[in-house]
Amino acid sequence: MPGPRTTPLHDRHVALGASFTDFGGWLMPVRYSSDLAEHHAVRDAAGLFDISHMAEFDVRGAEAAAFLDYALAGRLSGLTYDQAKYSLVLTPEGGIIDDVIVYRHCGDRFLVIANAGNRDAVAGALAERSGGFDVAVTDETDRTALIAVQGPRAADIVAAVSGLSEHSAPIAEQRFYRMAHAVFTPAGGGPVTVHLARTGYTGEDGFELIVPADAAGALWDALMTAGVPLGLVPAGLAARDTLRLEAGMPLYGHELGRHILPAQAGLGRVVAAGKEDFVGRAGLGAVVSPQARVLVGLVSDGRRAGRAGYAVYAGDSVVGEVTSGALSPTLGHPIAMAFVAPTAAASGTELTLDVRGTRVPATVTTLPFYRRKQ
């Protein structure tokens, strides 16, 4: 049986002394130094992430916009050129196959980025739903690398990269959830196109750089050279998870899944209101049990953090289950996300978590736990 795959940047990670884990079928760096140091670097300066394990799908054709309106929960035809949008791939019953980011390159061409572990599921859903549309869907994952620069110094670092020039929009003026285009010319190599998306998964300002796989190593090196003097450090999956948890961002397999409806996960706004026909519409219109659990944030005092799978109590009754939890490196106290009964979901409700046999008090709070300074 073949082992996990590696990204085009694997040799860089080995050289930096990373420790690895199997994530979604990919051997990915979990940390280079320490989880806390990498987490704080992203909040204070910047972190460099290899996210090349994510799946990329090129969608193009005269009916590409109409196809995505049908295949996904959002209204993607409303995107302007170089605009991005968060959306969902739903089952016919309204459950969540995956969450995705969609970028519109031009009128009839889009890029859909999905989670690594759901690559086959999203590919299958898009292929099945493309019937009857004048559209072509191509899996570009193996030809594409993604590198994320996240943190308050991200714009300074990207602007300082040697060989990255001819931007379609000045870095400092690029808006959030917009994409710009640039040319990267590595030393001794030919020019390649780099797409600069001002998006991310950490709650910080930042860019996700989309580059041909064979140019990823040179771009990573150029980013490190430009960024280390400004506080940039390579960061792994462990830091990425605590950063996204503080930012209240859901993770498939934890807060998202095929048996979870968007409204339960606080994502009802992602479904386009008034859209006539899309996969999942019938399921979303069905009557949902009033006892269906909903996603909340929980905060505690002390150092004992709830973890995924821990029970949530109201008095002596189990009313929910933690989906993600950690001792927040930024806030200094435990935080968690959990699905709980609607009767226990109001902000300020006092609950307890079963942390390995000990009841730990926790208070329901609104998400996110952390907001960056503007």
Side-chain angles (χ1 to χ4, degrees):
M1 186 174 179
R5 302 181 60 190
T6 59
T7 77
L9 296 166
H10 183 72
D11 290 347
R12 264 71 176 179
H13 305 321
V14 173
L16 288 165
S19 55
F20 293 90
T21 188
D22 184 342
F23 185 83
W26 293 77
L27 190 62
M28 298 300 296
V30 65
R31 67 182 60 81
Y32 300 84
S33 56
S34 81
D35 304 351
L36 284 178
E38 293 166 21
H39 182 109
H40 288 307
V42 174
R43 291 282 182 247
D44 297 336
L48 188 63
F49 298 85
D50 178 10
I51 54 172
S52 301
H53 58 310
M54 305 290 283
E56 299 86 29
F57 300 94
D58 180 84
V59 180
R60 65 177 72 189
E63 296 182 311
F67 159 68
L68 290 173
D69 280 352
Y70 172 72
L72 306 181
R75 192 183 299 280
L76 291 312
S77 59
L79 291 176
T80 58
Y81 295 176
D82 290 332
Q83 187 179 10
K85 190 179 186 68
Y86 177 82
S87 195
L88 300 169
V89 186
L90 301 178
T91 68
E93 296 77 25
I96 300 169
I97 295 175
D98 201 10
D99 59 340
V100 297
I101 298 286
V102 181
Y103 302 89
R104 188 171 200 168
H105 282 298
C106 59
D108 61 358
R109 186 181 176 193
F110 296 78
L111 173 68
V112 178
I113 298 185
N115 287 295
N118 288 328
R119 176 183 177 182
D120 291 343
V122 173
L126 295 178
E128 180 182 348
R129 297 169 191 187
S130 66
F133 289 94
D134 181 4
V135 66
V137 180
T138 306
D139 189 336
E140 296 286 344
T141 307
D142 295 338
R143 290 182 286 273
T144 306
L146 271 69
I147 302 172
V149 186
Q150 297 284 299
R153 301 304 304 274
D156 296 333
I157 292 166
V158 173
V161 171
S162 176
L164 190 64
S165 60
E166 299 181 37
H167 303 85
S168 62
I171 294 296
E173 297 176 12
Q174 189 176 336
R175 294 161 56 194
F176 194 53
Y177 262 60
R178 295 280 178 170
M179 176 184 283
H181 313 282
V183 173
F184 176 59
T185 307
V192 297
T193 298
V194 177
H195 305 296
L196 305 169
R198 202 156 198 171
T199 51
Y201 193 58
T202 62
E204 291 296 338
D205 186 18
F207 293 82
E208 295 178 313
L209 289 74
I210 304 161
V211 62
D214 56 6
L219 182 58
W220 174 278
D221 294 343
L223 285 161
M224 286 289 288
T225 299
V228 168
L230 299 176
L232 179 74
V233 303
L237 289 175
R240 194 164 184 250
D241 192 52
T242 50
L243 290 160
R244 73 93 191 167
L245 175 58
E246 288 180 348
M249 295 180 176
L251 177 65
Y252 191 87
H254 292 253
E255 289 77 37
L256 307 177
R258 287 175 176 263
H259 301 293
I260 298 171
L261 299 176
Q264 287 180 263
L267 297 175
R269 68 188 185 286
V270 178
V271 180
K275 203 167 64 164
E276 292 185 356
D277 187 25
F278 62 95
V279 178
R281 183 176 186 273
L284 296 176
V287 176
V288 178
S289 167
Q291 285 77 43
R293 291 175 174 179
V294 295
L295 189 68
V296 299
L298 295 168
V299 294
S300 302
D301 295 326
R303 312 291 290 178
R304 298 170 66 90
R307 304 289 183 180
Y310 287 9
V312 181
Y313 284 82
D316 293 329
S317 301
V318 175
V319 295
E321 182 175 303
V322 172
T323 52
S324 299
L327 178 62
S328 167
T330 303
L331 304 173
H333 58 75
I335 58 174
M337 290 195 279
F339 279 104
V340 302
T343 53
S347 182
T349 302
E350 300 293 335
L351 303 171
T352 59
L353 309 180
D354 185 345
V355 180
R356 287 173 291 186
T358 301
R359 294 287 186 88
V360 174
T363 303
V364 176
T365 187
T366 55
L367 295 170
F369 303 103
Y370 166 85
R371 291 185 189 274
R372 68 182 172 92
K373 297 176 182 175
Q374 299 297 316

